[in-house]
Amino acid sequence: METRTLVRMALMAALIGALGLVPPLFLPLAAGAPITAQSLGVMLAGLLLGARAGAGAVALFCFVVLLGAPLLAGGRGGLGILFGPTAGYFLGYIAGAYVTGLLAPRLPFGALVSAFLAAVIGGIGVVYLGGIPVLAAVAGIGLEKAALASAVFIPGDLLKAMAAALLATTVLKGWRAAPPA
């Protein structure tokens, strides 16, 4: 892997951590899962870096959090994250970035629409696929109730997917136009 990619991965991991500084919003319906800005970073990682590097950047972020860095929304970090109601979403971030990065260049639409759909499928669908069952198990509620609780996040996540698509297509244009270092 070239140095430029490694630097971008580290910067993306740092960006996801910085997005954790945005105060979370806890909803009573969501059984402990907060609204955060970090899923925007997960979508951007896949869109900007591609499947492997995007997932690698998110995995780096997750590793640092599990080591104890309080980078998740609300200043959470450490191994205890793996035993809470948001563990599935947290671990789903890695697969979400991978699928987002995998789909974006393969979808047969324009760059913006493809980026948006990839962010929706990977950054929302895949992350929810990992998060809902764990939320149901840890919170002691059924899958249906966990899915309904998670549904309150969909409007905001769709806005984050659109923001990620707009940002990514703009940044990628700049990266392509920049002369090699």
Side-chain angles (χ1 to χ4, degrees):
M1 202 172 280
E2 67 178 62
T3 304
R4 182 180 297 199
T5 302
L6 292 172
V7 169
R8 287 178 176 168
M9 288 170 63
L11 288 172
M12 187 56 62
L15 174 65
I16 297 168
L19 288 170
L21 298 175
V22 176
L25 177 62
F26 289 92
L27 299 176
L29 297 174
I35 294 175
T36 73
Q38 288 181 309
S39 56
L40 171 64
V42 170
M43 294 174 196
L44 280 171
L47 292 173
L48 291 174
L49 302 177
R52 288 183 59 203
V58 176
L60 173 61
F61 165 75
C62 290
F63 178 70
V64 171
V65 167
L66 292 175
L67 286 177
L71 298 175
L72 287 179
R76 298 173 303 128
L79 290 174
I81 297 300
L82 297 176
F83 303 100
T86 60
Y89 297 100
F90 174 71
L91 294 174
Y93 281 175
I94 299 168
Y98 183 85
V99 170
T100 299
L102 187 70
L103 290 179
R106 289 174 170 77
L107 292 174
F109 308 106
L112 181 62
V113 173
S114 292
F116 174 72
L117 291 174
V120 168
I121 294 166
I124 300 172
V126 170
V127 172
Y128 280 38
L129 191 61
I132 290 172
V134 175
L135 175 62
V138 172
I141 58 178
L143 276 175
E144 185 177 317
K145 193 166 187 176
L148 286 173
S150 296
V152 301
F153 297 105
I154 291 175
D157 283 340
L158 289 171
L159 290 174
K160 287 183 260 185
M162 181 50 73
L166 287 167
L167 285 166
T169 53
T170 302
V171 169
L172 288 173
K173 283 180 194 173
W175 283 356
R176 289 184 193 110

